Amino acid sequence: MERPSLTTLCASLCECMGVTPPEKAEPANKKFVAEITGGKLAEKAVMYNPDAVGTWIVNKYAEKFVPVRETAPYELQMRTVFPPKTPVCFASMYTGAQPRVHGIERYVKPVVKIDSLFDALIRQGKKPAIVAVKNSSLDKIFREREGMDYYITPYDKEAVEQGIELIKQDKYDFLVIYNQEYDDSIHFTHPTSRRARRALDHYAEYFSAIGDAVKASGRRTLLGYAPDHGVHREWYLLGNHGKDIPKDMEISHFYHIYN
């Protein structure tokens, strides 16, 4: 069965919240929207964006994803955009557009100028924010949006702590929390190294903590564990991504709506 494109996610998230999608977003995944919402819209959304987790890693280390599945049991398998590089993929995730449309087609971090999910939210009176590690793609590519807030942190743990505090404050309608330890670790080692496996554990722990905060908020909130691309091991032994191969292109997201 062919996987839907990552570009369908933006409109799907919008439809889950009753928001008109960005102007260049590809059509929503209606099946996902119907199944995850049960016909009742989410008031808010929290997207945890852990970098570089592909489906093959989810399958290989299933035990490490038990906390993820317990927090968000709905698995949505997709195919990311090419090239599977972080700014390319996140630009597509949050505009719903192919790279040739949003303009990021390689590893560069310009501000995305086309209409985005964040712009769509702001137009409808909703307040979005991004919490991201300093100098990461999500620190850079969705800047210059009036009515949107940005929280930039030294690294993953601080991003999660900041995100949880913002959830407790009930300050935002759509919150993105970005982490990058696994991606960093595979570039220094490889996708199944001890360091990389430890990073996957941290992602799971952080996501569980975010889920606890969402659950305690008492708001009907869509929660997502949403990576951008996968990874592979190169012939020179280090981890990498950027090829049109299943290990890089096939990703699994996990979702749940908390009432």
Side-chain angles (χ1 to χ4, degrees), residues 3-167:
R3 291 173 177 236
S5 172
L6 178 65
T7 53
T8 64
L9 183 65
C10 180
S12 300
L13 296 175
C14 287
E15 291 196 9
C16 285
M17 297 182 70
V19 170
T20 302
E23 60 183 18
K24 296 186 184 298
E26 295 187 1
N29 181 338
K30 299 292 188 180
K31 180 175 183 290
F32 165 72
V33 174
E35 291 179 349
I36 198 69
T37 65
K40 185 179 178 183
L41 297 177
E43 297 176 62
K44 295 174 176 284
V46 175
M47 292 289 284
Y48 178 61
N49 288 139
D51 206 315
V53 182
T55 297
W56 77 276
I57 287 293
V58 172
N59 293 338
K60 183 177 180 65
Y61 296 115
E63 74 284 355
K64 294 183 180 297
F65 289 85
V66 170
V68 174
R69 293 180 185 276
E70 288 177 344
T71 303
Y74 187 104
E75 182 175 354
L76 177 61
Q77 295 187 341
M78 286 176 289
R79 179 177 170 83
T80 195
V81 293
F82 184 82
K85 295 289 188 180
T86 301
V88 181
C89 298
F90 280 127
S92 286
M93 186 182 297
Y94 290 122
T95 65
Q98 293 290 338
R100 66 181 180 277
V101 177
H102 62 63
I104 303 181
E105 299 184 78
R106 57 192 175 90
Y107 191 83
V108 291
K109 303 174 187 178
V111 173
V112 171
K113 298 299 184 181
I114 73 166
D115 202 29
S116 72
L117 181 150
F118 308 111
D119 301 300
L121 289 162
I122 292 166
R123 278 197 296 274
Q124 294 192 218
K126 297 185 181 295
K127 185 76 172 175
I130 291 176
V131 185
V133 177
K134 186 177 181 180
N135 293 323
S136 66
S137 296
L138 279 173
D139 172 11
K140 302 290 188 181
I141 67 174
F142 290 110
R143 290 283 183 170
E144 302 177 11
R145 265 74 184 177
E146 187 176 349
M148 182 170 173
D149 291 339
Y150 307 86
Y151 298 83
I152 307 308
T153 66
Y155 207 56
D156 289 5
K157 183 174 184 289
E158 294 87 352
V160 172
E161 290 171 347
Q162 178 69 77
I164 288 172
E165 181 59 31
L166 295 173
I167 294 167

Side-chain angles (χ1 to χ4, degrees), residues 61 182 185-186 188-198:
Y61 296 115
Y182 182 71
S185 69
I186 68 100
F188 282 107
T189 59
H190 59 83
T192 61
S193 70
R194 180 177 298 178
R195 179 174 173 177
R197 297 195 306 271
R198 185 168 62 245

Side-chain angles (χ1 to χ4, degrees), residues 207-232:
F207 186 60
S208 293
I210 291 166
D212 288 342
V214 168
K215 193 184 307 182
S217 74
R219 304 296 293 269
R220 184 167 171 81
T221 302
L222 173 65
L223 175 64
Y225 179 105
D228 49 348
H229 57 71
V231 295
H232 67 274

